[in-house]
Amino acid sequence: MSRLPLGALQEREFRLFFTGQFVSLIGDAITPFALAWAVLDLTGSPTDLGLVIAAKTAPLVIFLLAGGVFADRLPRRAVMLTADVARMGTQATVAALLLTHSAHIWELIVLQAFAGTATAFFNPASTGLTPMTVSSARLQEANALRGMSMASTGLVAPALAGLLIVTVGPGYALAIDAASFGVSLFYLARLHLPAHINLPPQSFARDLRDGWQEFVARSWVWLIVVGASLGNMMSGVWLVLAATWIKKGHGGAGAWTAILVVSAVGALIGGATVLRVRPRRPLLAACLVVVPNALPLVFLALRFPWETLVAAALVTGFGNMVFNTLWETTLQQHIPAASLSRVSAYDWFGSLLCQPIGLALAGVVAGAIGMSSTLWIAAAVTTASIAATLAAPSVRHLERLDEPELDHGAHQLVPG
């Protein structure tokens, strides 16, 4: 089989899937900027803006586990199509309210809550659907391409969103997001997938419990998720404190933009790397490349110039992309297909669970013990969590599945 770095795009099903998702990601990346501008135009209240953002984020976490159950029990494409219809409807309604100058904050809160709930069902189904659209030999390439598409939209979205807001207003920007979900629907509907295989009838609670048993049965799964949860919590601490420090006369908006852009560039380089590099022990490699994740915390604790944070962003952007690609590919290879979306949902849930805590407590803790002390603690937790994960034999020794072996069992039980 060809090992061209873009070989996954030669396969019709993945090419269609990737195209639809890429267009949808562009719309998603525009939305936070347009929605923030719209809310501030309406009331000018930071509190209202926080409520609208929280309304979309909270259901995403709350309903993830239910989304995993539905994505394993029902055809995954059907779950994703339903979620896209819901998101297209909510964003189109928001756009209409803004364009007719009749929007109220409570309406935006309710609509974004529906959008967040739909995403909670879409994400686990998407993880489970990817292996169904590409040959096993190109699975890592497919995941790398998906990650690179996210990073590339992070580069262009701020400029595109700003252009749309200035020229046509946030209402039209949100209408474009709604249309992007329509594009996703079009391409998902054209996929030719393996037939859905029904699971034995049982209760929702039993489905959830079976998914949990698959999740905890492999120590490498829950160890990585616990480590990622702590890492995301500490990244939340860095985000709050770094943004505050930079805004207060240490580089300003230009420095912050440079950090975000260079992080996305690092991610693109990381994605290009894992298009070609296929480590025999993927989780070992994944954990090693995120060892430098404590660097931004250390640099900020030492009050290094903001330019060093830009350099650190390049390294961490690279490492996080490599980690995420290898991790998602390993899950898709080693978890039974019939349980993959539920295990993915537990992964999403666990990984996201602690990040809001880090965001909420960063300023409080820094106010009590000082910014530097808070950052040193965060750096220590980050380093310790990575070291503990690397110390586990199940993480260090897990090997990627050989392609003939994977091909042999890949379609034994694959929900459609």
Side-chain angles (χ1 to χ4, degrees):
M1 178 170 291
S2 170
R3 290 299 174 84
L4 293 173
L6 300 182
L9 291 175
Q10 296 177 4
E11 300 190 26
R12 177 187 182 274
E13 310 313 318
F14 179 73
R15 185 170 62 252
L16 294 174
F17 178 55
F18 176 84
T19 302
Q21 297 314 295
F22 181 63
V23 173
S24 179
L25 283 170
I26 294 173
D28 279 347
I30 294 171
T31 295
F33 300 95
L35 196 59
W37 200 268
V39 172
L40 294 175
D41 272 350
L42 281 175
T43 68
S45 169
T47 300
D48 287 341
L49 178 57
L51 288 173
V52 172
I53 294 172
K56 186 172 184 178
T57 304
L60 172 59
V61 177
I62 293 169
F63 291 104
L64 269 171
L65 299 183
V69 170
F70 277 85
D72 278 338
R73 181 152 293 280
L74 301 175
R76 286 171 178 142
R77 178 173 57 177
V79 173
M80 295 169 69
L81 287 169
T82 303
D84 271 346
V85 168
R87 294 189 292 183
M88 181 173 64
T90 57
Q91 299 304 67
T93 304
V94 171
L97 290 171
L98 293 175
L99 291 172
T100 57
H101 307 287
S102 58
H104 298 87
I105 289 299
W106 72 265
E107 294 170 324
L108 301 186
I109 290 172
V110 171
L111 289 166
Q112 292 311 301
F114 279 120
T117 301
T119 301
F121 284 80
F122 186 93
N123 285 352
S126 179
T127 299
L129 187 79
T130 302
M132 302 164 60
T133 64
V134 68
S135 59
S136 59
R138 288 171 170 161
L139 182 58
Q140 182 176 307
E141 294 172 15
N143 287 320
L145 287 167
R146 291 182 65 208
M148 292 175 72
S149 69
M150 294 178 194
S152 63
T153 56
L155 281 175
V156 302
L160 181 57
L163 179 64
L164 289 170
I165 290 168
V166 170
T167 56
V168 296
Y172 283 105
L174 286 158
I176 290 173
D177 186 28
S180 75
F181 290 120
V183 174
S184 175
L185 280 166
F186 173 75
Y187 282 103
L188 281 172
R190 295 180 62 197
L191 294 179
H192 299 154
L193 299 173
H196 172 63
I197 298 178
N198 293 318
L199 299 179
Q202 58 186 23
S203 68
F204 177 87
R206 180 60 185 271
D207 275 341
L208 205 59
R209 187 164 62 251
D210 287 350
W212 173 254
Q213 289 172 348
E214 290 285 355
F215 178 79
V216 298
R218 301 161 179 82
S219 61
W220 57 268
V221 175
W222 61 262
L223 280 168
I224 290 285
V225 172
V226 170
S229 188
L230 291 172
N232 287 333
M233 182 179 180
M234 297 308 111
S235 72
V237 171
W238 183 85
L239 181 66
V240 170
L241 298 183
T244 303
W245 182 75
I246 287 172
K247 190 176 187 301
K248 292 181 177 179
H250 299 280
W256 191 244
T257 301
I259 290 170
L260 298 179
V261 168
V262 169
S263 177
V265 171
L268 288 171
I269 297 171
T273 300
V274 285
L275 281 174
R276 292 184 175 275
V277 178
R278 305 162 66 84
R280 172 55 59 182
R281 296 182 181 181
L283 295 187
L284 174 62
C287 291
L288 287 174
V289 294
V290 294
V291 168
N293 276 8
L295 283 180
L297 294 157
V298 172
F299 289 171
L300 188 58
L302 294 172
R303 304 295 202 281
F304 282 1
W306 65 265
E307 290 86 352
T308 62
L309 298 179
V310 175
L314 182 69
V315 176
T316 56
F318 173 89
N320 289 333
M321 173 63 77
V322 173
F323 176 93
N324 289 334
T325 300
L326 295 177
W327 167 243
E328 190 155 316
T329 302
T330 302
L331 273 186
Q332 292 163 343
Q333 287 184 335
H334 288 268
I335 301 299
S339 304
L340 179 55
S341 289
R342 278 170 290 175
V343 173
S344 173
Y346 280 110
D347 170 31
W348 277 94
F349 180 81
S351 298
L352 294 175
L353 185 62
C354 289
Q355 189 171 38
I357 299 173
L359 292 167
L361 294 182
V364 176
V365 175
I369 66 175
M371 188 176 87
S372 289
S373 296
T374 303
L375 289 163
W376 282 115
I377 292 171
V381 171
T382 299
T383 302
S385 65
I386 295 171
T389 306
L390 279 169
S394 63
V395 172
R396 293 198 315 273
H397 298 153
L398 185 73
E399 296 189 356
R400 68 180 297 116
L401 292 184
D402 292 332
E403 284 143 18
E405 179 183 346
L406 185 60
D407 283 336
H408 177 72
H411 299 292
Q412 294 299 310
L413 184 61
V414 181

